[in-house]
Every structure is written in C-alpha cells, then in structure tokens.
Amino acid sequence: MRNALGLMLASVGAAVVIAAVWFWTASPRADLAVAATVSAPPAERLAATASAKPVPIPEDVDATAAILAKPPVPPQPKTACANPDALGVSRVVEIDTMGGPGFGFAHFKQLDFLTDKEIVLTFDDGPWPVNTPSVLKTLADECTKAVFFPIGKHATYHPEILKQVVAAGHSVGAHTWSHANLNSKKMNEQQARDEIEKGFSAVKLALGAAPSPFFRFPQLQHSPAAVSYLGSRNVAIFSCDVDSFDFKAKDATQVINSVLTKLEKSGKGIILMHDFQKHTAEALPVLLRRLKAGGYKVVHMKAKAPLQTLAEYDEALVKDMKLPVASTRPVNNVVQTVTE
Ligand SMILES: [Zn+2]
C-alpha cells in the first residue's frame, strides 16, 4: 500500500515537472507564431519569422513586450484558415484580359503559366440549390478558391446563391444566357453576341456588381466569330486541360477517378467541373483531399479589372424579367395564414 502510494506520488511529481518544462519552453514560441500568423500578410509574415529566429528569448515577459512594442499592423480582410492541413491556395495570379487571352490547353497553348502540379479549379452551370452551396462549403473547409462560370438564366433564378460565391472570394465570370451552343449552324453572329452579353448582364444583375471578364463556351464549342468578338470585348476565354466529364458520371467515385486519372497524365492544368452536378458536389470533399495528398497546388485566377457590361443588355434584361410590383412587398404582407 505504502509502495503504491509512493509510486503514485512520484508519477504525479514527474508529470508536474514535465508540464512545467513544456510550458516554459513552448509558450514563448507559441506566442510568437500566433502573433505573426494573425497580424501579418504573407510577405511580412516571412520577414517576421526570419527575424524572430535569431533573437534570444531570455524570459516570457521580454518576448511578449518586444512583440507588443512593434507598430500595429492593420487588420487583414481575410480570416486565417482554421484547417491546418487544408489544400489552400498556393498562388494567386492576376489576369489582364486585354485582347481576350485564352486559357486551357484543350484549345489554347500560348499561355503556359502553370508549373508542374499546379491546378486551377473551375465550376460551370450554376448557381443551383443544394449543389452549389455544398461545393462552396467544401471549398471553404479546404480554404481554397475557384473560378465559377454561371449560366445567366440560373443566375436570375438563384441570385442569393451566386452572391454567396462572390462573398466567399471566388472569381465569377459567365457561361452565356441560356447555355446555347454558340458554334451551332442555327446560331448567327448577332445571336451569339446576345447570348454572351445577356449572360454577363444577368450575372451582374444577380450580384449587384460587375463579374470578372472570364468566359467559357457551353460544351467548349468555340466559334471563330465569337472568339474574336470576346477579344474585342477584352474577355478572357477559358477552355480547360482536364475535362472531368462529371455530367456523365454515375456517382461521385467516377468523378474522382476521372479527374485524378486525367490529371496524372497532364501533370497540371485547369480542371473543368460543374457545381450544378450532384455527383460533383458529393465527390468534392474526397477529391480535394486526394489532390492535397497527391501534392497538387491550387492557383487562384483573379481578373485585374471587372467587365464593363453593356447598358443596352442590362436594361433589356430588367425589362424582360417583367417583375410584378407586388414582389417588392414583404411575404407576410402578401400571404396570410387564415386556417390551419
Ligand atoms: Zn456548361
């Protein structure tokens, strides 16, 4: 009994000593790391970390005082990622869309800006209930960013969802008004222009702000006339390097396998998926984990300046939608429960 008690006391004593040593050695560095990560933008963070290393830390109080004595850094707009193992964003690139550059080796091979293992996530055909919010949640969980190409009509159906896409910091371009094939023989040049411009105006109407001058042709059907028109409008054209064919997938596993297999061959590139598709939304959590495990790095493409939509299309769209006057009244002012 006495031996057992002695052993217990000795164990507790040892635990206290270990805890005390850990606290003394770990806490000053933990303080430094948090201060640097939260308050400094990436470039300054590197400088802070580098300069912090050789400084001797004699006592906790001195180290804390030294940090507090630094001039205050203005708060950063982006919150830190809560997931330490997130896929994240390795690089943000700003795109000057002057002249309508083309991206994605399926059609355009001039601008080879991605290095090995670099990928760009892109999503077409939204915004759509359930699937788009699910995609947004997965991207947020992985602290990563994508480019969205919504359909104009869908943007008018679900403007509140499209607003969430922009609010989360993703780039939003357009994908025509009605997902028409602009390379079809039935489509004349004016009709193709109308599809493009009305699509952008619809996205603007939904967002209450101009979209990025980023465009993707439905079904990747590039008509030469529309390509040169987009050039004259200084709109970048997005093809892709990896076409997931997720709209043909029978389940989430097929989406995952399709992307990973094609990506293994290309080694990098712009990945085309659809936030409109249920299987894609379901596949995304596992797919992003697998991309992270495979060493892939996400590049976020941002436009240098927003698109100037054409006033005639903005105005025509508002007219077309023929919103009734009553729609401005609150719902409980219009609809009252009288019996239950
Ligand atoms: Zn599409």
Side-chain angles (χ1 to χ4, degrees):
M1 182 66 185
R2 194 181 292 167
N3 281 349
L5 189 66
L7 204 62
M8 261 177 64
L9 282 173
S11 303
V12 169
V16 167
V17 168
I18 290 166
V21 167
W22 176 83
F23 183 76
W24 184 78
T25 53
S27 60
R29 281 173 179 81
D31 284 351
L32 267 181
V34 170
T37 310
V38 172
S39 62
E44 283 174 326
R45 195 186 306 157
L46 278 178
T49 314
S51 68
K53 266 186 185 166
V55 176
I57 307 161
E59 280 177 45
D60 297 5
V61 178
D62 284 1
T64 312
I67 293 162
L68 291 176
K70 282 182 184 173
V73 179
Q76 297 302 301
K78 281 176 189 168
T79 53
C81 179
N83 175 3
D85 190 40
L87 177 60
V89 171
S90 72
R91 188 155 77 97
V92 180
V93 293
E94 189 179 79
I95 308 300
D96 182 344
T97 63
M98 189 72 76
F103 296 99
F105 271 39
H107 290 86
F108 308 108
K109 295 180 172 62
Q110 302 97 325
L111 299 168
D112 188 11
F113 74 102
L114 295 173
T115 61
D116 193 34
K117 293 264 176 180
E118 281 191 331
I119 53 171
V120 178
L121 304 171
T122 69
F123 295 95
D124 292 6
D125 295 3
W128 206 251
V130 184
N131 301 339
T132 303
S134 167
V135 165
L136 289 179
K137 187 192 177 297
T138 307
L139 294 173
D141 288 346
E142 290 288 344
C143 305
T144 196
K145 302 283 183 239
V147 185
F148 285 76
F149 295 95
I151 294 172
K153 271 188 183 177
H154 290 182
T156 64
Y157 300 160
H158 308 290
E160 73 290 353
I161 299 175
L162 197 58
K163 283 192 181 97
Q164 291 170 27
V165 179
V166 160
H170 304 292
S171 297
V172 176
H175 191 46
T176 72
W177 164 247
S178 68
H179 209 261
N181 176 355
L182 303 192
N183 204 23
S184 152
K185 281 176 187 153
K186 293 176 197 160
M187 180 77 53
N188 67 36
E189 266 186 56
Q190 186 56 50
Q191 285 169 325
R193 289 179 187 198
D194 290 348
E195 272 286 336
I196 292 167
E197 296 296 351
K198 204 173 167 186
F200 276 116
S201 288
V203 172
K204 185 190 177 186
L205 182 69
L207 294 177
S212 298
F214 292 171
F215 179 82
R216 183 174 268 146
F217 283 91
Q219 303 160 53
L220 300 179
Q221 286 291 321
H222 294 213
S223 83
V227 167
S228 56
Y229 176 71
L230 289 164
S232 75
R233 290 281 286 121
N234 300 319
V235 172
I237 305 167
F238 281 66
S239 177
C240 69
D241 299 272
V242 171
D243 193 341
S244 66
F245 276 90
D246 54 352
F247 57 94
K248 286 193 173 167
K250 289 192 185 80
D251 55 29
T253 308
Q254 279 194 4
V255 178
I256 296 164
N257 291 341
S258 162
V259 170
L260 292 176
T261 308
K262 287 173 183 171
L263 199 51
E264 229 165 79
K265 281 182 195 149
S266 64
K268 62 176 186 179
I270 298 171
I271 305 171
L272 164 53
M273 292 176 281
H274 296 84
D275 55 312
F276 178 70
Q277 295 292 335
K278 180 171 166 271
H279 296 324
T280 305
E282 287 169 353
L284 208 58
V286 173
L287 178 59
L288 297 192
R289 284 286 82 207
R290 299 269 299 267
L291 290 172
K292 166 82 180 177
Y296 292 102
K297 293 164 285 178
V298 172
V299 174
H300 184 209
M301 295 178 76
K302 274 185 156 176
K304 191 177 178 186
L307 177 78
Q308 290 282 334
T309 57
L310 301 180
E312 57 188 288
Y313 287 92
D314 291 346
E315 288 158 17
L317 189 66
V318 171
K319 233 180 186 177
D320 279 5
M321 289 182 71
K322 295 176 190 156
L323 295 172
V325 180
S327 71
T328 58
R329 285 165 58 197
V331 66
N332 59 5
N333 187 260
V334 182
V335 183
Q336 286 283 333
T337 303
V338 288
T339 53
E340 258 183 318

